[in-house]
Amino acid sequence: MKLPLHERERVIIKTREHSRVLRQPVGAFLFLTALCAFCLGYLSRDDLSEWLAANADVWMIVSVVLWAALVLIWSVIPWARWLRSQIVLTTERIMFRPTYNDGKLQSVGLFTVRDLVAHTKAKNAMTRAGTLDIVLNQGYVRLAHVPSVPYFRSLAMDAMTNLRSNQHVAYTETTNSEGMGA
């Protein structure tokens, strides 16, 4: 997907939510598949009771349909949401598409950011994944499951510093050039 960038805006880093959000959907898929395989194996036995043996084919179809519906709800849809999620740091803003959204890419300009706060847990020491709070004048925006959140924060802080210093240089150049012609 092409990002809507401004004229001189460049992408610094583009990522998606950390893959740990897929642990629950993968676990649900494995559990549901094992349960469905057990049910199908049990229903294919020869020594079933009469009332169950008479409708074993129907129960097999019901269990496969139920498996497919639950796998779709608990595994496929969260995986598709994860694929759509994006976190992009550019030279002028932070753009993100959260998993639980209507698909719109949201952005926060780096000029409006007062501070970036990175939260990581001790159990995530290897991946350093965590939550990034973008502190604004009127509140904050929370980005969850950012991979290597301290590194992302340092890149964003560098981009903010560069943007503010370049803006100051551009402002100085325009004010000096206006006074030169007089």
Side-chain angles (χ1 to χ4, degrees):
M1 180 183 129
K2 188 159 172 101
L3 293 171
L5 299 177
H6 296 134
E7 185 178 329
R8 293 187 178 171
E9 187 176 19
R10 301 290 177 253
V11 173
I12 297 173
I13 189 169
K14 181 178 177 182
T15 186
R16 64 172 43 114
E17 290 183 341
H18 195 270
S19 60
R20 72 177 174 195
V21 298
L22 295 177
R23 288 180 186 164
Q24 184 177 359
V26 168
F29 174 76
L30 293 175
F31 176 74
L32 290 172
T33 302
L35 186 65
C36 182
F38 174 78
C39 289
L40 291 177
Y42 185 80
L43 290 171
S44 64
R45 292 176 36 187
D46 293 334
D47 59 343
L48 289 177
S49 61
E50 283 186 34
W51 68 273
L52 194 55
N55 296 325
D57 294 337
V58 173
W59 287 113
M60 283 184 181
I61 293 171
V62 166
S63 64
V64 169
V65 168
L66 185 62
W67 172 83
L70 291 177
V71 163
L72 177 71
I73 293 169
W74 290 344
S75 296
V76 174
I77 291 175
W79 178 70
R81 283 185 187 143
W82 177 78
L83 282 177
R84 281 190 4 202
S85 70
Q86 277 187 333
I87 304 169
V88 180
L89 173 65
T90 67
T91 54
E92 296 180 8
R93 54 194 167 149
I94 298 173
M95 296 185 285
F96 55 95
R97 179 181 293 129
T99 54
Y100 296 104
N101 196 352
D102 55 355
K104 294 181 180 174
L105 192 64
Q106 300 175 3
S107 67
V108 175
L110 291 179
F111 269 120
T112 62
V113 175
R114 284 185 32 209
D115 193 18
L116 295 170
V117 181
H119 303 282
T120 57
K121 294 183 180 176
K123 66 179 182 178
N124 294 334
M126 289 292 277
T127 62
R128 300 184 312 159
T131 303
L132 182 70
D133 287 340
I134 304 170
V135 181
L136 307 168
N137 287 333
Q138 309 274 323
Y140 68 94
V141 177
R142 177 165 282 175
L143 299 178
H145 309 295
V146 178
S148 188
V149 71
Y151 179 66
F152 189 90
R153 181 189 180 277
S154 68
L155 287 176
M157 294 299 278
D158 290 344
M160 287 171 34
T161 304
N162 289 340
L163 184 65
R164 289 181 177 139
S165 66
N166 288 342
Q167 182 68 19
H168 178 68
V169 169
Y171 176 74
T172 306
E173 288 175 1
T174 58
T175 55
N176 288 343
S177 63
E178 289 173 357
M180 293 178 86

